[in-house]
Amino acid sequence: MSSIKDKIEKLREELNEHNYNYYVLDSPTITDLEFDLKLKELETLENQYPEFFDANSPTQRVGGEITKNFETIPHEHRMYSLENSYSKEDLIDWENRIKKMIEGTVEYTCELKYDGASISLTYENGVLLKAVTRGDGFQGDNVTANVKTIKSVPLKLKGDYPPRFDIRGEIILPIDGFNKMNEERVEIGEEPYRNPRNTASGSLKLQDSAEVAKRPLECLLYNITGSNLGIKTQFESLEKARSWGFKVPDAAKKMHSMDEVFEFISYWDIHRHNLPYEIDGVVIKVNSLDQQEELGYTAKSPRWAMAYKFKAEQVSTKLNSISYQVGRTGAITPVANLEPVELAGTIVKRASLHNADQIEKLDVRIGDEVFVEKGGEIIPKIIAVDLTKRPLNIEPVTYIANCPECQTPLVRQEGEAQHYCPNYMGCNPQIIGRIQHYISRKAMDIEGLGGETVALLVNEGLINDYSDLYELTKEQVIPLERMAEKSADNLIKGIEQSKNIPFERVMYALGIRYVGETVAKKLVKHYKNIDAIAAASIEELVNVDEIGNKIAESVVDFFHSENNMRIISRLKEFGVQLEISAEQLANQTNKLEGQSIVISGVFETMSRDELKKMIENNGGKVSSSISSKTSFIVAGDNMGPSKKKKAEDLKIQLINEYEFLQKLN
Ligand code: AMP
Ligand code: ZN
């Protein structure tokens, strides 16, 4: 038994180290596959021997815990904010104030000011105890379950860490990850997130920690708080934090004079655009902790630290015209076409105008000189009009009333910012967009067919919706531009093969607004076939796990359309999978609905994974630990003694694998 425990602990240690190499040092030493295999191995062992459960095991990073209401807890040490400065003069004034209060020379530590959500982490005996948001500085929200899923937050420390301390940092969302999340949102017809900062702080308050685990968040640390830590300077504390396994960017530098501080600022004002994440300034801190203590705090912020905020980079240029784009869902987005101009190292030609309200709010007119800024948003935006340069006689923008592609009058729903083209069936970009979504990698993944070919096929009048794909012939395709015999063959073959794609992916491919991959899976699991989904009412749909009102309405709308029903019956005729396979279905019931079941020990006729799957397929939930909520325990050989005792104490029924199978039949 103890050798199993050793094995589990060794695996945990190894995985922690690999997590550290990958997420903190950015230099992995094994492949992702090797990592996944080790994680799987640990997971299997932990399931098999739940008595060795550890809330800080690397397997817990995937999340799953749901928080309905975040508990408010007081900070043991207050979280202050920072005073801001905007110029060198401000900083010289600050240094003069400091020198009046303390003796001797002053050194500084300069750090980047990460633009995210601040967090306070408490560690006790080297393990993460809690993670709390800043809140009002005196108390914040307990978001431990969510923060645990962030891979650069160490769950166990290394080295010579103190027995108990708080460490503060910033949870950020790197720009690449942010862009990727937005691409996925746009794909399911959701509005993209506005900027990484708000998305990072919003992520901390998600109820489902498994959702948080999917977001590529990072945690960058900048301050250690506690008593008797044996640390003398801010710079040393950063080095210490790094040695315990925290992610502390190495941009942080020790400075001997204010002139060196100015150099640091000038350097980062330019180079910040090459960082993988956003910063909105730098933070300058008096280096000596003794001097910090002498300086103390004002009502709001430490006297020993100062934020220097960069000006968001701005230029002015002329607005030449506004064009209107039509998305797959019919949403209209106005885009400003600008006189090309350099901004933050790139040439900017276009800027987002978001919607009609935004144009009205800015009172921007065609021909205006406008200020363009690259701030938190990735796409530059127009922030104001230079009225001193407004030409005479230019008129306010009249927002388009008709779709630029199909001339249909646009509609705008109560409470919605966006205008929509309602010509669902006849509007070219919508038609093309839907088919492009249908064939995309995560949907039907049709090999040999790309987005541009789809546009060609639609424009040539060969297809009008995705069901038409299945009637395409090689002879029709060959005459198309850049189509050779071989590529035409591949295209037809790819379409044919898509008939084997499982129903849950077809469900996603249909392109129903708000039905992403996860929702599609939920619907399929619950209803099993398309007819049942099509027949469901809003009331029924919202009763399905994770389906809210907005999604339910959108699903019902979709199946109300005669045209959609016609397309679906055609897909059915062609043999596209519109129900879960007989094999899957045979093994699915609701017999264990609402039951929480613990598996323990080893079995004769099946593996633990098979047993687990069987429970889930029959609607039950597998839980790793015994509690008063456990419905029953499926016990095999070698059930741990502590478990047995706990089951007896709580009077929970034990059944063997044969009794379990009988229950199902
Ligand atoms: P503000 O929100 O403008 O008052 O700025 C204060 C916030 O800056 C703090 O609450 C931190 O979350 C954040 N911050 C980002 N980077 C740092 C850093 N290197 N040192 C201190 N605070 C930082
Ligand atoms: Zn249209």
Side-chain angles (χ1 to χ4, degrees), residues 326 403 405-408 421 423 427 430:
V326 187
C403 175
E405 301 280 342
C406 72
Q407 314 324 318
T408 306
C421 166
N423 185 9
C427 183
Q430 297 188 53

Side-chain angles (χ1 to χ4, degrees), residues 495-551:
I495 293 173
E496 188 58 31
Q497 275 165 359
S498 76
K499 293 180 184 170
N500 300 322
I501 296 287
F503 179 36
E504 56 186 40
R505 276 174 56 192
V506 180
M507 192 63 212
Y508 167 67
L510 296 179
I512 303 173
R513 205 167 171 208
Y514 308 130
V515 178
E517 287 174 287
T518 320
V519 172
K521 275 192 195 141
K522 293 260 139 100
L523 287 171
V524 165
K525 183 156 186 232
H526 188 91
Y527 288 102
K528 321 248 181 318
N529 66 60
I530 194 99
D531 297 331
I533 299 176
S537 66
I538 293 184
E539 294 71 35
E540 286 161 0
L541 285 162
V542 291
N543 276 329
V544 180
D545 201 20
E546 276 185 53
I547 310 277
N549 224 23
K550 196 165 87 168
I551 301 172

Side-chain angles (χ1 to χ4, degrees), residues 328-594:
R328 158 166 80 83
T329 57
I332 308 288
T333 313
V335 177
N337 300 307
L338 306 166
E339 193 60 36
V341 63
E342 195 183 322
L343 174 62
T346 52
I347 303 287
V348 174
K349 294 181 201 143
R350 291 145 70 79
S352 169
L353 279 168
H354 302 308
N355 51 47
D357 290 345
Q358 180 74 1
I359 293 176
E360 200 174 316
K361 204 168 96 200
L362 291 168
D363 182 29
V364 54
R365 306 180 185 189
I366 291 164
D368 264 335
E369 190 73 17
V370 294
F371 294 108
V372 182
E373 184 178 294
K374 219 169 186 176
E377 284 82 13
I378 301 303
I379 310 158
K381 59 173 182 182
I382 295 181
I383 47 158
V385 173
D386 187 350
L387 287 174
T388 63
K389 297 206 179 124
R390 173 166 283 174
L392 290 173
N393 307 325
I394 60 171
E395 298 289 322
V397 172
T398 346
Y399 203 78
I400 49 167
N402 295 73
C403 175
E405 301 280 342
C406 72
Q407 314 324 318
T408 306
L410 299 180
V411 293
R412 184 180 182 181
Q413 234 95 50
E414 258 314 291
E416 287 230 29
Q418 232 71 15
H419 284 72
Y420 281 86
C421 166
N423 185 9
Y424 180 84
M425 279 161 61
C427 183
N428 228 27
Q430 297 188 53
I431 294 171
I432 294 173
R434 277 197 300 271
I435 305 176
Q436 285 172 337
H437 172 75
Y438 184 82
I439 66 159
S440 64
R441 203 172 42 81
K442 283 192 253 160
M444 303 302 271
D445 193 17
I446 297 188
E447 235 175 282
L449 180 57
E452 279 176 39
T453 311
V454 168
L456 265 178
L457 290 168
V458 172
N459 292 333
E460 292 291 323
L462 290 172
I463 57 174
N464 202 46
D465 62 60
Y466 36 69
S467 71
D468 295 339
L469 289 170
Y470 297 95
E471 280 180 333
L472 273 180
T473 62
K474 196 170 135 189
E475 291 65 39
Q476 284 176 309
V477 179
I478 286 179
L480 292 182
E481 228 175 289
R482 273 177 308 187
M483 251 317 149
E485 169 106 19
K486 180 127 202 288
S487 33
D489 261 342
N490 284 341
L491 193 157
I492 302 292
K493 216 162 75 206
I495 293 173
E496 188 58 31
Q497 275 165 359
S498 76
K499 293 180 184 170
N500 300 322
I501 296 287
F503 179 36
E504 56 186 40
R505 276 174 56 192
V506 180
M507 192 63 212
Y508 167 67
L510 296 179
I512 303 173
R513 205 167 171 208
Y514 308 130
V515 178
E517 287 174 287
T518 320
V519 172
K521 275 192 195 141
K522 293 260 139 100
L523 287 171
V524 165
K525 183 156 186 232
H526 188 91
Y527 288 102
K528 321 248 181 318
N529 66 60
I530 194 99
D531 297 331
I533 299 176
S537 66
I538 293 184
E539 294 71 35
E540 286 161 0
L541 285 162
V542 291
N543 276 329
V544 180
D545 201 20
E546 276 185 53
I547 310 277
N549 224 23
K550 196 165 87 168
I551 301 172
E553 271 174 30
S554 166
V555 170
V556 168
D557 269 358
F558 182 88
F559 290 106
H560 258 155
S561 144
E562 254 173 54
N563 189 48
N564 286 337
M565 292 310 279
R566 182 188 62 82
I567 294 173
I568 283 167
S569 73
R570 271 164 61 77
L571 291 178
K572 228 184 246 172
E573 266 168 47
F574 295 127
V576 172
Q577 304 295 317
L578 292 170
E579 55 183 30
I580 47 180
S581 66
E583 192 191 344
Q584 266 178 308
L585 195 61
N587 302 322
Q588 285 206 6
T589 72
N590 295 326
K591 283 190 183 147
L592 300 175
E593 186 119 345

Side-chain angles (χ1 to χ4, degrees), residues 82-87 90-91 94 113 280-284 305-310:
L82 290 172
E83 201 180 325
N84 286 326
S85 62
Y86 301 90
S87 67
D90 289 349
L91 288 174
W94 176 56
K113 189 169 186 296
D280 61 339
V282 304
V283 184
I284 305 121
M306 181 64 89
Y308 177 92
K309 294 258 190 147
F310 292 131

Side-chain angles (χ1 to χ4, degrees), residues 81-82 111-114 118 134 170 222 283 285 309:
S81 59
L82 290 172
E111 297 162 37
L112 304 180
K113 189 169 186 296
Y114 322 113
S118 36
R134 181 162 97 170
E170 200 82 357
Y222 54 72
V283 184
K285 297 172 186 168
K309 294 258 190 147

